[in-house]
Amino acid sequence: MPFAASTDSPRTLSPDLKHPLLPGENPPPPVSYATALLGILIGTLAAILLVPSDYFEPGQLRAAAVCMALGLLVGPLASSLTDLRGWLRAESVMMIGLVYWLLTELLYPSYDAYEITRDGVLRAFLYMGLFSAAIQIGSLLAHRWHSQISPLRPSTNEFSDRWLFNVLIYSSLLGMLSKLVPCDFSPACMVDGLFSGRADGPWQQSVTGGSLVYQLAYFGYLSLPLTVALHHRVGRIDWRVVIGLILSTIFLLFLIRDGGRRLVGMVTGAALLTWLLLQPRIGLRQFAIGGVAGVALLALLEMMLVFRTSEGGIVSRLFSGRAFEENPLDEGIRVDNNFKFLVKTLDLIPEFMPHTGWDAIIYWAGRPIPRALWPGKPINPGIDLPWELGERWGEGFTLTVSAIGDWYVAFGLVSILLAGLMMGFLGGKLVLHWMRPTVRNTVLYSLGAMCLFIGLRSYLELILMSYPILALLLFSKLTSWLPDSRLPFTRSLRR
């Protein structure tokens, strides 16, 4: 059968669910919500108190950002003291995500806060603290509420190596259709597009997301995590793993060429999480390898930012070696200037513009629907933020204000708190996949954790990055009744 039962050794007690573990269950790392909430409270108060009157001068927000970051990371640090996997809990991943998306650029001495107000800066730190506290409370509620959300329910079934290989083939082919169809299946067009500039490819309708074919790209996001999972199941690098590496590398190159840094981060981050969580033991060596891979990923993302609009594109520079002529991290890590745009949004609404209310909800709900099926669907959440903030730098330019800003635009502070509770609840339910350490649960957890991480950049991304999870669940459902011998690629490749 495509699924096999897991046979891991039993443990005794779950620190999260407070009930005896069943055979094969494995407790997740412990977490102290009281410690996490206390750290957030102290960090938020310290950040607010350390905002100086000359906050707009370069480097003046650095101390406040450091305190805020340390406060957010108290929970992950406390969780990892007894188990290094604590850094990989969904709640910890989201705290790291808030630091990355909103505070990273503030840590540089050259960062200045011109064009924003001190009141906006203070409110931004306050809302960050309230949002992160709501995440922790939402996770606590998820662990205390024993009923399960069906799609997120941990399973005792396991993905077999044959099933993984077949789904790897299908997902890669479906993902590449988003490039093949606009090229009329021409290999020459594909190669030319790969080595062209970001705006020159024949598939550059991705900004609107209106094409049904373009939506197929989300299937391809499964290729690299499934290759890692397949290698774990097989236990060696055999021909199936090699094919998986080739297909996932090709798909990843097209993602790099398109310049979407969050997409590359989603795929590689989920693969890295899958590898770490499938290790029999996670120690300093595994985390060191993960750290090196993380630094390499950050360098790649910076290269993409620097060269994605250059002539020939980033892929041609990578293959020619020109992308390595300078250190991509010389100017630090650049993360979309989300903090500045968040503060400008807080200054704009509701003093000069009203909250958009349900217009934002309708926009988010309609985003997955192809424009061919809904030609008149909204093109923004009720407000053109780049225009209103005076940040429109060209046709098709977009900006992000973080999930905090997205929900503030909709309904204000109340919706920020509700969104934090929702994301924390989802993260808490994801952690239950640690209870059954199967390959299936590990892959789903890794995809879900990265979805929440990227969803902190923009709430719309939370919706879009859930597509790969839905794709994997769809494959699982459609093939659950098939024995391995009936899976087509297993048969044809064995002939």
Side-chain angles (χ1 to χ4, degrees):
M1 295 294 292
F3 304 100
S6 175
T7 57
D8 297 292
S9 60
R11 301 291 179 91
T12 55
L13 187 69
S14 165
D16 279 313
L17 299 183
K18 307 297 182 185
H19 65 72
L21 294 175
L22 300 174
E25 288 189 340
N26 185 26
V31 62
S32 171
Y33 291 103
T35 303
L37 289 170
L38 181 61
I40 291 169
L41 174 62
I42 295 174
T44 303
L45 291 176
I48 291 174
L49 292 174
L50 287 174
V51 176
S53 57
D54 59 344
Y55 68 95
F56 48 83
E57 296 290 344
Q60 291 302 304
L61 289 178
R62 190 178 189 182
V66 168
C67 289
M68 189 78 233
L70 291 176
L72 294 177
L73 296 178
V74 164
L77 180 61
S79 179
S80 65
L81 290 179
T82 55
D83 190 337
L84 284 175
R85 294 179 306 160
W87 287 104
L88 305 181
R89 287 186 64 113
E91 308 93 331
S92 300
V93 170
M94 284 189 277
M95 295 300 105
I96 296 170
L98 285 171
V99 173
Y100 176 76
W101 293 117
L102 284 167
L103 298 176
T104 302
E105 290 166 319
L106 274 67
L107 300 176
Y108 299 127
S110 59
Y111 184 87
D112 64 68
Y114 290 105
E115 302 179 10
I116 56 179
T117 66
R118 187 173 187 273
D119 178 67
V121 171
L122 295 175
R123 285 202 294 158
F125 282 128
L126 175 62
Y127 291 171
M128 284 181 63
L130 292 174
F131 182 75
S132 54
I135 288 176
Q136 297 291 344
I137 295 171
S139 176
L140 174 63
L141 293 175
H143 292 152
R144 294 299 181 263
W145 187 24
H146 299 331
S147 62
Q148 298 288 325
I149 300 175
S150 182
L152 298 179
R153 183 183 298 128
S155 173
T156 58
N157 293 328
E158 179 64 293
F159 292 155
S160 69
D161 52 346
R162 291 181 179 178
W163 188 92
L164 284 168
F165 178 68
N166 278 271
V167 174
L168 171 60
I169 296 292
Y170 287 131
S171 61
S172 298
L173 293 179
L174 285 172
M176 288 307 299
L177 280 177
S178 62
K179 314 297 182 187
L180 286 165
V181 171
C183 277
D184 295 326
F185 295 88
S186 166
C189 173
M190 293 284 289
V191 174
D192 290 342
L194 180 62
F195 290 94
S196 65
R198 185 185 189 188
D200 299 330
W203 50 78
Q204 290 312 116
Q205 54 184 326
S206 61
V207 174
T208 64
S211 169
L212 181 60
V213 171
Y214 173 73
Q215 310 293 341
L216 295 176
Y218 293 100
F219 284 93
Y221 296 178
L222 297 173
S223 56
L224 191 56
L226 289 181
T227 300
V228 173
L230 178 62
H231 175 258
H232 173 80
R233 288 288 299 171
V234 174
R236 64 185 187 279
I237 301 179
D238 70 354
W239 60 273
R240 292 172 295 181
V241 177
V242 171
I243 291 176
L245 286 172
I246 293 173
L247 292 176
S248 55
T249 299
I250 292 172
F251 184 78
L252 188 61
L253 282 174
F254 277 97
L255 282 186
I256 293 172
R257 175 250 173 247
D258 288 343
R261 297 191 297 164
R262 69 198 184 283
L263 307 181
V264 176
M266 170 73 182
V267 173
T268 54
L272 182 58
L273 272 179
T274 301
W275 178 80
L276 280 170
L277 292 172
L278 287 176
Q279 299 301 302
R281 177 181 175 274
I282 300 180
L284 292 177
R285 177 175 175 272
Q286 287 75 19
F287 260 88
I289 295 173
V292 171
V295 172
L297 175 59
L298 288 175
L300 173 62
L301 298 182
E302 286 301 308
M303 287 184 192
M304 290 174 60
L305 179 64
V306 173
F307 299 119
R308 63 187 177 184
T309 57
S310 61
E311 184 179 355
I314 176 62
V315 174
S316 63
R317 284 182 172 270
L318 286 174
F319 277 87
S320 66
R322 288 179 294 163
F324 304 98
E325 294 174 355
E326 56 186 85
N327 181 6
L329 299 179
D330 264 347
E331 299 181 17
I333 302 170
R334 287 165 286 185
V335 196
D336 303 330
N337 220 350
N338 291 312
F339 185 85
K340 173 188 173 184
F341 295 144
L342 170 61
V343 175
K344 294 185 74 171
T345 301
L346 298 181
D347 290 336
L348 176 70
I349 299 173
E351 185 173 353
F352 299 103
M353 298 284 292
H355 294 286
T356 60
W358 291 102
D359 288 346
I361 307 297
I362 295 172
Y363 169 69
W364 295 330
R367 183 58 175 81
I369 302 174
R371 195 165 294 277
L373 302 179
W374 186 5
K377 74 175 184 176
I379 60 173
N380 60 50
I383 181 174
D384 186 352
L385 267 183
W387 176 266
E388 299 296 341
L389 298 180
E391 297 287 349
R392 184 179 293 282
W393 297 342
E395 186 66 28
F397 174 79
T398 60
L399 56 81
T400 54
V401 294
S402 80
I404 299 173
D406 288 337
W407 281 103
Y408 178 80
V409 168
F411 293 103
L413 178 58
V414 173
S415 58
I416 290 176
L417 297 176
L418 292 176
L421 289 172
M422 179 198 65
M423 295 186 74
F425 189 87
L426 290 175
K429 287 301 181 184
L430 271 177
V431 172
L432 298 183
H433 285 72
W434 243 311
M435 304 291 290
R436 287 282 178 179
T438 64
V439 170
R440 174 193 183 277
N441 293 339
T442 299
V443 173
L444 283 173
Y445 175 83
S446 301
L447 290 169
M450 287 306 301
C451 177
L452 290 171
F453 179 89
I454 296 176
L456 292 168
R457 174 183 182 263
S458 166
Y459 183 72
L460 181 60
E461 298 295 345
L462 179 67
I463 298 174
L464 297 179
M465 292 303 108
S466 67
Y467 288 7
I469 302 173
L470 297 176
L472 186 61
L473 293 173
L474 177 63
F475 278 129
S476 176
K477 191 69 173 178
L478 292 177
T479 61
S480 60
W481 55 275
L482 284 176
D484 276 352
S485 60
R486 294 287 301 279
L487 293 173
F489 279 102
T490 301
R491 296 176 61 197
S492 61
L493 289 172
R494 279 178 168 269
R495 289 176 180 172

